[in-house]
Protein backbone atom coordinates (compact mmCIF):
# COMPACT_ATOMS: atom_id res chain seq x y z
CA UNK A 1 0.00 0.00 0.00
CA UNK A 2 0.88 3.66 -0.10
CA UNK A 3 3.32 4.95 2.53
CA UNK A 4 2.67 8.29 4.24
CA UNK A 5 5.39 9.93 6.30
CA UNK A 6 4.90 13.06 8.36
CA UNK A 7 7.60 15.24 9.85
CA UNK A 8 8.53 16.33 12.36
CA UNK A 9 6.86 13.84 14.74
CA UNK A 10 6.87 16.39 17.56
CA UNK A 11 7.04 20.16 17.60
CA UNK A 12 7.10 22.62 20.48
CA UNK A 13 6.61 26.32 19.81
CA UNK A 14 6.17 29.58 21.63
CA UNK A 15 3.00 31.46 20.88
CA UNK A 16 3.47 33.66 17.84
CA UNK A 17 5.99 31.42 16.08
CA UNK A 18 5.56 30.04 12.58
CA UNK A 19 5.93 26.40 11.58
CA UNK A 20 5.89 24.07 8.58
CA UNK A 21 4.64 20.49 8.74
CA UNK A 22 5.44 18.06 5.96
CA UNK A 23 3.66 15.03 4.50
CA UNK A 24 5.48 12.78 2.02
CA UNK A 25 3.67 10.01 0.17
CA UNK A 26 5.00 7.16 -1.92
CA UNK A 27 2.53 7.04 -4.82
CA UNK A 28 0.18 9.20 -6.88
CA UNK A 29 -2.87 10.33 -4.94
CA UNK A 30 -6.45 11.26 -5.79
CA UNK A 31 -7.24 12.85 -2.47
CA UNK A 32 -5.23 14.45 0.32
CA UNK A 33 -6.57 15.99 3.48
CA UNK A 34 -5.02 17.74 6.47
CA UNK A 35 -6.73 17.35 9.84
CA UNK A 36 -6.20 18.82 13.28
CA UNK A 37 -7.10 16.52 16.16
CA UNK A 38 -7.80 18.56 19.25
CA UNK A 39 -7.11 17.31 22.80
CA UNK A 40 -10.71 16.00 23.04
CA UNK A 41 -10.21 13.75 20.02
CA UNK A 42 -12.23 15.65 17.42
CA UNK A 43 -10.71 15.52 13.94
CA UNK A 44 -11.21 18.90 12.33
CA UNK A 45 -10.91 19.35 8.57
CA UNK A 46 -8.25 21.88 7.70
CA UNK A 47 -7.75 21.42 3.97
CA UNK A 48 -8.82 19.13 1.16
CA UNK A 49 -5.86 19.63 -1.17
CA UNK A 50 -4.86 16.91 -3.67
CA UNK A 51 -2.91 19.59 -5.55
CA UNK A 52 -2.22 23.32 -5.48
CA UNK A 53 -2.27 25.87 -2.69
CA UNK A 54 -5.02 26.96 -0.33
CA UNK A 55 -5.18 29.43 2.52
CA UNK A 56 -7.54 29.77 5.45
CA UNK A 57 -6.65 32.51 7.90
CA UNK A 58 -3.34 31.76 9.58
CA UNK A 59 -3.13 28.35 7.94
CA UNK A 60 -2.14 27.50 4.41
CA UNK A 61 -1.29 24.30 2.57
CA UNK A 62 0.53 23.38 -0.61
CA UNK A 63 0.53 20.01 -2.33
CA UNK A 64 3.05 19.28 -5.08
CA UNK A 65 1.51 16.10 -6.44
CA UNK A 66 4.25 15.45 -9.01
CA UNK A 67 6.87 15.44 -6.22
CA UNK A 68 4.62 13.58 -3.78
CA UNK A 69 4.57 15.91 -0.83
CA UNK A 70 2.32 18.38 0.93
CA UNK A 71 3.16 21.17 3.37
CA UNK A 72 1.01 22.74 6.06
CA UNK A 73 2.04 26.21 7.22
CA UNK A 74 0.92 27.62 10.54
CA UNK A 75 1.67 31.28 11.10
CA UNK A 76 1.48 33.25 14.36
CA UNK A 77 0.69 30.08 16.29
CA UNK A 78 -1.75 30.18 19.21
CA UNK A 79 -2.18 27.81 22.16
CA UNK A 80 -5.41 26.58 20.55
CA UNK A 81 -3.31 25.23 17.65
CA UNK A 82 -1.98 22.54 20.00
CA UNK A 83 -2.90 18.98 19.10
CA UNK A 84 -2.00 16.42 16.47
CA UNK A 85 -1.95 17.22 12.77
CA UNK A 86 -2.66 14.34 10.40
CA UNK A 87 -2.24 14.04 6.68
CA UNK A 88 -4.47 11.43 4.99
CA UNK A 89 -4.19 10.35 1.37
CA UNK A 90 -6.05 8.11 -1.05
CA UNK A 91 -3.95 6.43 -3.73
CA UNK A 92 -4.88 7.02 -7.36
CA UNK A 93 -6.63 3.99 -8.83
CA UNK A 94 -6.74 2.55 -5.36
CA UNK A 95 -9.41 0.92 -3.28
CA UNK A 96 -10.80 4.13 -1.70
CA UNK A 97 -9.10 3.33 1.60
CA UNK A 98 -7.67 6.52 3.12
CA UNK A 99 -4.19 6.11 4.57
CA UNK A 100 -3.19 8.32 7.49
CA UNK A 101 0.31 9.41 8.39
CA UNK A 102 1.43 9.01 11.99
CA UNK A 103 0.85 12.68 12.68
CA UNK A 104 2.79 15.65 14.02
CA UNK A 105 2.15 16.44 17.68
CA UNK A 106 2.24 20.22 18.21
CA UNK A 107 2.44 21.96 21.57
CA UNK A 108 2.19 25.75 21.61
CA UNK A 109 3.25 27.38 24.87
CA UNK A 110 1.89 30.79 25.95
CA UNK B 1 -24.18 21.77 7.72
CA UNK B 2 -20.97 19.74 7.82
CA UNK B 3 -21.73 17.92 11.03
CA UNK B 4 -21.42 14.27 11.88
CA UNK B 5 -22.84 13.34 15.27
CA UNK B 6 -21.97 10.33 17.41
CA UNK B 7 -23.55 8.89 20.53
CA UNK B 8 -22.69 8.15 23.22
CA UNK B 9 -19.63 10.33 23.89
CA UNK B 10 -18.31 7.88 26.47
CA UNK B 11 -19.11 4.20 27.04
CA UNK B 12 -17.89 1.77 29.69
CA UNK B 13 -18.83 -1.86 29.21
CA UNK B 14 -17.98 -5.26 30.54
CA UNK B 15 -16.70 -8.09 28.37
CA UNK B 16 -20.10 -9.82 28.40
CA UNK B 17 -22.16 -6.74 27.54
CA UNK B 18 -23.80 -5.87 24.23
CA UNK B 19 -23.83 -2.22 23.27
CA UNK B 20 -24.14 -0.08 20.14
CA UNK B 21 -22.46 3.06 18.88
CA UNK B 22 -24.47 5.40 16.68
CA UNK B 23 -23.46 7.85 13.98
CA UNK B 24 -25.63 10.25 11.99
CA UNK B 25 -25.05 12.72 9.16
CA UNK B 26 -27.46 14.92 7.21
CA UNK B 27 -25.14 16.09 4.46
CA UNK B 28 -26.56 13.69 1.88
CA UNK B 29 -23.31 11.75 1.89
CA UNK B 30 -23.45 8.22 0.49
CA UNK B 31 -20.25 6.84 2.05
CA UNK B 32 -19.80 6.29 5.77
CA UNK B 33 -16.85 4.94 7.71
CA UNK B 34 -15.91 3.51 11.09
CA UNK B 35 -12.41 4.04 12.44
CA UNK B 36 -10.69 2.89 15.62
CA UNK B 37 -8.00 5.04 17.20
CA UNK B 38 -5.68 4.03 20.00
CA UNK B 39 -3.75 6.62 22.02
CA UNK B 40 -0.91 8.33 20.13
CA UNK B 41 -1.74 6.44 16.91
CA UNK B 42 -3.50 7.49 13.70
CA UNK B 43 -7.08 6.35 13.03
CA UNK B 44 -7.33 2.82 11.61
CA UNK B 45 -10.10 2.09 9.13
CA UNK B 46 -12.52 -0.64 10.18
CA UNK B 47 -15.49 -0.54 7.78
CA UNK B 48 -16.74 1.45 4.80
CA UNK B 49 -20.34 1.62 3.62
CA UNK B 50 -21.26 2.93 0.20
CA UNK B 51 -24.92 3.46 -0.71
CA UNK B 52 -25.88 1.55 2.46
CA UNK B 53 -23.91 -1.55 1.42
CA UNK B 54 -20.79 -2.77 3.17
CA UNK B 55 -17.98 -2.01 0.76
CA UNK B 56 -14.85 -2.57 2.81
CA UNK B 57 -14.19 -4.66 5.93
CA UNK B 58 -10.59 -4.35 7.05
CA UNK B 59 -10.49 -7.84 8.59
CA UNK B 60 -12.23 -6.66 11.73
CA UNK B 61 -13.11 -9.33 14.36
CA UNK B 62 -16.75 -10.45 14.32
CA UNK B 63 -17.33 -9.02 17.81
CA UNK B 64 -17.72 -5.73 15.91
CA UNK B 65 -20.82 -5.74 13.72
CA UNK B 66 -21.63 -2.70 11.55
CA UNK B 67 -25.08 -1.80 10.31
CA UNK B 68 -26.30 0.93 7.96
CA UNK B 69 -30.11 1.20 8.39
CA UNK B 70 -30.37 4.12 5.95
CA UNK B 71 -28.19 6.63 4.15
CA UNK B 72 -27.96 8.92 7.20
CA UNK B 73 -27.30 6.41 9.96
CA UNK B 74 -24.46 4.08 10.79
CA UNK B 75 -24.32 1.79 13.80
CA UNK B 76 -21.57 -0.32 15.29
CA UNK B 77 -22.81 -3.20 17.44
CA UNK B 78 -20.41 -4.44 20.07
CA UNK B 79 -20.47 -7.85 21.75
CA UNK B 80 -17.99 -9.80 23.85
CA UNK B 81 -15.30 -7.16 23.53
CA UNK B 82 -11.85 -7.46 25.02
CA UNK B 83 -10.01 -4.85 27.12
CA UNK B 84 -7.67 -4.21 24.17
CA UNK B 85 -10.70 -2.96 22.22
CA UNK B 86 -10.74 0.12 24.45
CA UNK B 87 -10.17 3.05 22.10
CA UNK B 88 -11.71 6.12 20.50
CA UNK B 89 -14.19 5.08 17.81
CA UNK B 90 -14.65 7.62 15.06
CA UNK B 91 -17.33 7.82 12.40
CA UNK B 92 -16.84 9.74 9.16
CA UNK B 93 -18.77 10.43 5.99
CA UNK B 94 -18.02 11.62 2.46
CA UNK B 95 -19.97 12.31 -0.70
CA UNK B 96 -19.01 8.97 -2.19
CA UNK B 97 -16.07 6.70 -2.77
CA UNK B 98 -14.96 7.92 -6.19
CA UNK B 99 -13.49 11.24 -7.19
CA UNK B 100 -13.94 14.13 -4.75
CA UNK B 101 -13.92 12.37 -1.41
CA UNK B 102 -13.47 14.84 1.44
CA UNK B 103 -14.14 13.11 4.74
CA UNK B 104 -15.90 14.70 7.70
CA UNK B 105 -15.49 13.18 11.14
CA UNK B 106 -17.73 12.99 14.17
CA UNK B 107 -16.46 13.75 17.69
CA UNK B 108 -15.98 10.08 18.52
CA UNK B 109 -17.06 7.66 21.23
CA UNK B 110 -14.46 6.91 23.88
CA UNK B 111 -14.94 3.22 24.75
CA UNK B 112 -13.55 1.49 27.83
CA UNK B 113 -13.89 -2.29 28.13
CA UNK B 114 -13.46 -3.64 31.64
Amino acid sequence: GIQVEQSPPDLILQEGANSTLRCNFSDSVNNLQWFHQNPWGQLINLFYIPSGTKQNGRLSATTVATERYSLLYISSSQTTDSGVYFCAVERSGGSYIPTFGRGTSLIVHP
Amino acid sequence: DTEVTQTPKHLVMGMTNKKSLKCEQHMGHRAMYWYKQKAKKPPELMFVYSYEKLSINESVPSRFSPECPNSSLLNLHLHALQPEDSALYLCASSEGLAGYNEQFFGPGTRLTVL
Side-chain angles (χ1 to χ4, degrees), chain B residues 25-91:
Chain B
Q25 57 89 13
H26 293 290
M27 295 178 276
H29 288 173
R30 304 316 299 261
M32 296 186 76
Y33 310 73
W34 280 115
Y35 288 84
K36 173 183 177 179
Q37 187 178 23
K38 302 284 271 186
K40 299 192 185 300
K41 299 284 189 184
E44 296 175 26
L45 186 67
M46 300 174 73
F47 302 104
V48 181
Y49 273 82
S50 176
Y51 289 85
E52 301 160 45
K53 287 185 172 24
L54 183 62
S55 178
I56 295 171
N57 176 343
E58 287 288 275
S59 303
V60 179
S62 59
R63 57 186 184 270
F64 295 91
S65 175
E67 178 197 19
C68 190
N70 61 55
S71 59
S72 300
L73 290 174
L74 186 65
N75 298 323
L76 186 63
H77 303 297
L78 313 173
H79 174 54
L81 294 193
Q82 303 297 310
E84 59 264 28
D85 297 321
S86 298
L88 179 67
Y89 288 83
L90 294 161
C91 173

Side-chain angles (χ1 to χ4, degrees), chain A residues 33 37 42 45 90 96 98, chain B residues 35 37 97 101-103 105:
Chain A
Q33 282 188 258
Q37 189 164 40
Q42 171 84 60
N45 289 37
E90 185 185 303
Y96 311 118
Chain B
Y35 288 84
Q37 187 178 23
L97 289 187
N101 194 22
E102 184 176 8
Q103 289 196 325
F105 281 80

Side-chain angles (χ1 to χ4, degrees), chain A residues 38-50:
Chain A
N38 66 23
W40 297 271
Q42 171 84 60
L43 273 163
I44 300 161
N45 289 37
L46 297 178
F47 294 102
Y48 175 82
I49 187 164

